[in-house]
Amino acid sequence: MIETTKTYRILISGGGTGGHIYPAIAIANAWVERHPDSEVLFVGALGKMEMQKIPEAGYRIVGLPVAGLQRSLSLSNLKFPFKLLKSLSKAFGIVKEFKPQVVVGVGGYASGPVLYAAQSKKIPTLVQEQNSYAGLTNKILAKRAQKICVAYPDMGQFFPEEKIVYSGNPVRKDILNLAGKREKALAHFGLKSDLKTVLVLGGSLGARTLNLGMLEDMKAFDQDGYQVLWQSGKFYFKDMLAATEKAQLKNIHLREFIREMDLAYAAADLIISRAGALSVSELSLVGKPVIFIPSPNVAEDHQTKNAMAFVINNAAVMLKDREAVGQLKKKTDEVLGNPEMVKSLGENIKKLAKPFAAETIVNEMEQLIA
């Protein structure tokens, strides 16, 4: 371990989605807990959610004008080279002024320019890859990075084996211990203690298939004695609210976004979720039965690969996106109607958990500085 009397300057770049942002915050928190005198600076993409979430977590962030290429023909693609050059120039300026001792890239648009600038200045860099299928930016940056911290085994197909550290994905500390939180959780969300609770999560923006599936089955859930805590996401909340208010169902509890995820997990008997990297990592720590519905609209279908890593270990159930609408209630019955299945899924998913991922990454950062 390196000495703690010195002030360290840590630069963390990336974002775009919660799957990049929350692991970045967890790394920063773990570093500051060990080295309280440190200065941590984040670099994100202007207009993306990290510009709001990082300051809410108590850290300073600088934004780059970088944006991604659209897969379809788009006029915005014509601006891409100019935004990239401007972002590279600004990234070099940030690195020169801040003088970080180590730079961490968590994926997302801002990671590329910042790690490229740091690597050009011979500053140690660490790449954190959340998914079971590595993103293009991380694959490029990994060639000159000193360490690559991954969440899944067998990532040598993407990265040099000698640089890989199997750390797992950093997650929020409040979900590491849910014991004794169930009563508080039920009271917080206005749930009943005598009903099975199904937690439906589609991410902060929402998942169309999960929301359509709930619209299809919400009356059946309500009539058959389930209660559902349903995070619809920002994009779908108004439409879902109108539909649930019209249906007047007593046990369907709709939320645009759930901040108190530790309480939501504590209340749940079953969780229906997308299979983004952060969700998968958190749910492995929760240790409850999960139905994954991977999004098909992601690079290289990586959410299916994330989910399958659990399905092959009998640690989760998977529903294909195209088959999910009309199947949520049926699949819920199959799982919760089988106590042995509930027990084995909960036990097996917890075996795949990596509860000390952030601390492992901090260890690697220390070694790079030392």
Side-chain angles (χ1 to χ4, degrees), residues 82-224:
F82 304 100
K83 288 185 175 182
L84 180 60
L85 288 171
K86 190 174 180 180
S87 296
L88 277 168
S89 175
K90 190 168 183 179
F92 271 97
I94 292 166
V95 169
K96 183 179 178 181
E97 182 182 341
F98 188 64
K99 296 180 175 66
Q101 281 118 327
V102 66
V103 178
V104 178
V106 296
Y109 299 141
S111 266
V114 174
L115 264 72
Y116 179 80
Q119 290 169 349
S120 299
K121 297 287 186 182
K122 308 297 184 189
I123 297 167
T125 56
L126 180 150
V127 169
Q128 199 259 323
E129 174 57 60
Q130 296 95 18
N131 287 296
S132 58
Y133 194 96
L136 178 61
T137 301
N138 277 353
K139 282 191 279 190
I140 295 169
L141 295 171
K143 293 174 184 177
R144 296 170 68 191
Q146 279 69 37
K147 291 288 181 180
I148 303 117
C149 292
V150 301
Y152 292 86
D154 307 318
M155 294 294 283
Q157 59 183 309
F158 307 112
F159 304 123
E161 287 279 6
E162 68 276 9
K163 296 182 180 183
I164 294 174
V165 178
Y166 180 28
S167 61
N169 275 328
V171 298
R172 294 167 279 198
K173 276 199 165 182
D174 58 4
I175 67 166
L176 291 177
N177 186 9
L178 301 178
K181 289 187 177 182
R182 183 172 171 80
E183 284 189 20
K184 179 183 177 183
L186 294 174
H188 178 82
F189 293 112
L191 301 171
K192 299 171 184 175
S193 59
D194 59 337
L195 297 181
K196 294 282 188 186
T197 303
V198 178
L199 174 62
V200 179
L201 299 170
S204 56
L205 300 180
R208 183 173 182 272
T209 297
L210 271 66
N211 287 323
L212 291 178
M214 274 304 303
L215 285 181
E216 181 86 9
D217 285 353
M218 62 183 181
K219 289 182 180 178
F221 274 114
D222 191 73
Q223 289 167 1
D224 285 2

Side-chain angles (χ1 to χ4, degrees), residues 262-307:
D262 59 323
L263 297 183
Y265 290 142
D269 294 290
L270 171 80
I271 300 156
I272 300 173
S273 174
R274 284 302 200 196
L278 181 65
S279 299
V280 168
S281 297
E282 287 193 352
L283 292 170
S284 65
L285 292 165
V286 171
K288 293 189 177 180
V290 178
I291 298 171
F292 284 125
I293 304 175
S295 171
N297 307 311
V298 293
E300 304 295 342
D301 197 23
H302 69 251
Q303 286 203 9
T304 296
K305 296 177 176 72
N306 291 350

Side-chain angles (χ1 to χ4, degrees), residues 311-340:
V311 172
I312 62 175
N313 286 288
N314 191 32
V317 173
M318 189 176 84
L319 255 179
K320 291 181 180 178
D321 185 86
R322 65 177 180 270
E323 299 171 354
V325 176
Q327 294 288 315
L328 297 190
K329 169 67 165 48
K330 180 182 176 183
K331 193 60 73 172
T332 296
D333 288 338
E334 286 178 18
V335 177
L336 290 182
N338 186 338
E340 286 186 12

